[in-house]
Amino acid sequence: MNPTGGPPGRTGQAAGAPRPAPDAERPARAVREAAARVPRARGGGRGLPPSERLRVKLAFAEPALRASSAALWRSEGLLPRYRAYLCAMHTVIRASVPLMERAAERAGLLARHGDPLGAPLAAYLDEHVREEAEHDTWLLEDLTAAGSGPRAALDPVPSPLVASLAGAQYYWIEHHHPVALLGYIAVLEGHAPAAGLAPRLARSTGLPAPAFRTVHEHARLDDGHAGELFALLDRLPLSRAQETAVAVSALHTTDALTQLFVRLGRTGPAPPVRGAGRSVPREGQT
């Protein structure tokens, strides 16, 4: 689970990818594409499987996430921004396994009390814990290869945005239902790095290949993980309230990631502002 903020499964920012639309057009176009899918969801979407209903909801929130990702990966000043990204992702990813372990415990307890979601949810989370183990260590190793070192991620107080991102999941696990965590996982797994992102970042920053292990490995792994999660959503006997909990979690995760990427995107030179009108002339200019 190492999101880069692109479309589900891919960033669209890999080397060789089509040139993105201008910033002012890209979000509007993405919203139009999302809206085009909604007529299929007649009757409030009851004719669609849960996974597709979730995708439709997320499609309206994703344009802002994509725009923040585009600013994050711009080439100007990328080296300090990439190091800041690694630090931030470590604070996110180190919470993932403990979150899933706690959700699996709660799901197992609910199963013993007759909840039909409990057993399949616990089984999925237990397996996913094994798949995600040590990924936070990868990020610390990447930081070392990038010339910073583990203390750059471990010493500072984690961002309130990260606390909001992960902390909300703890609340829903403990005080509502652990199935909500599937929304969080869906977003993080569904925005995996593109296959060409790691080599493009290496060329832009001049860093060695070991500094991009996490990006490279998650580009290879997370696309299949997202498919497994959406298949699970369609198998679970979700009530409408439980499906809503997953969607609320996913939308909160998308919003928190967007804010985090916007903050990270401010590291280094700012991108030029388009359509902002004429600039004020400097002294001596006409």
Side-chain angles (χ1 to χ4, degrees), residues 14-251:
R19 183 179 179 84
D23 290 345
E25 297 176 7
R26 190 186 312 119
R29 185 177 66 182
V31 169
R32 289 195 298 271
E33 291 171 353
R37 303 174 66 186
V38 174
R40 298 169 53 196
R42 294 185 177 90
R46 285 186 287 274
L48 299 178
S51 63
E52 187 65 15
R53 288 195 289 268
L54 179 61
R55 291 178 195 271
V56 169
K57 293 169 185 173
L58 287 174
F60 288 96
E62 283 166 350
L65 181 57
R66 298 182 195 182
S68 67
S69 176
L72 175 63
W73 297 129
R74 69 188 188 276
S75 59
E76 299 86 359
L78 182 56
L79 178 56
R81 198 160 55 253
Y82 178 65
R83 289 171 174 154
Y85 167 82
L86 291 176
C87 291
M89 285 302 100
H90 178 266
T91 63
V92 173
I93 300 305
R94 70 182 176 190
S96 295
V97 166
L99 275 171
M100 290 187 289
E101 288 175 336
R102 182 56 189 147
E105 291 174 3
R106 288 274 294 136
L109 177 63
L110 292 173
R112 292 192 290 275
H113 287 81
D115 187 327
L117 296 187
L121 180 59
Y124 168 82
L125 291 168
D126 284 338
E127 176 63 25
H128 210 52
V129 163
R130 289 189 286 272
E131 293 170 345
E132 295 293 327
E134 303 301 325
H135 289 197
D136 55 332
T137 301
W138 295 359
L139 285 156
L140 297 180
E141 293 170 351
D142 290 353
L143 268 169
T144 298
S148 290
R151 304 317 311 178
L154 297 172
D155 288 348
V157 176
S159 165
L161 292 174
V162 174
S164 172
L165 176 66
Q169 303 304 318
Y170 280 110
Y171 185 91
W172 287 320
I173 289 167
E174 297 292 343
H175 301 293
H176 187 60
H177 196 290
V179 75
L181 187 63
L182 296 184
Y184 172 89
I185 297 173
V187 173
L188 268 63
E189 299 283 25
H191 293 83
L197 181 60
R200 183 171 75 82
L201 295 178
R203 290 193 299 272
S204 297
T205 62
L207 292 174
F212 305 97
R213 177 188 179 185
T214 304
V215 171
H216 174 75
E217 289 295 329
H218 281 272
R220 183 176 63 87
L221 295 172
D222 281 0
D223 198 28
H225 289 174
E228 293 170 3
L229 183 137
F230 284 117
L232 173 68
L233 284 175
D234 292 339
R235 292 196 308 270
L236 290 175
L238 293 168
S239 68
R240 184 52 61 98
Q242 289 164 341
E243 188 177 331
T244 297
V246 174
V248 169
S249 169
L251 291 168

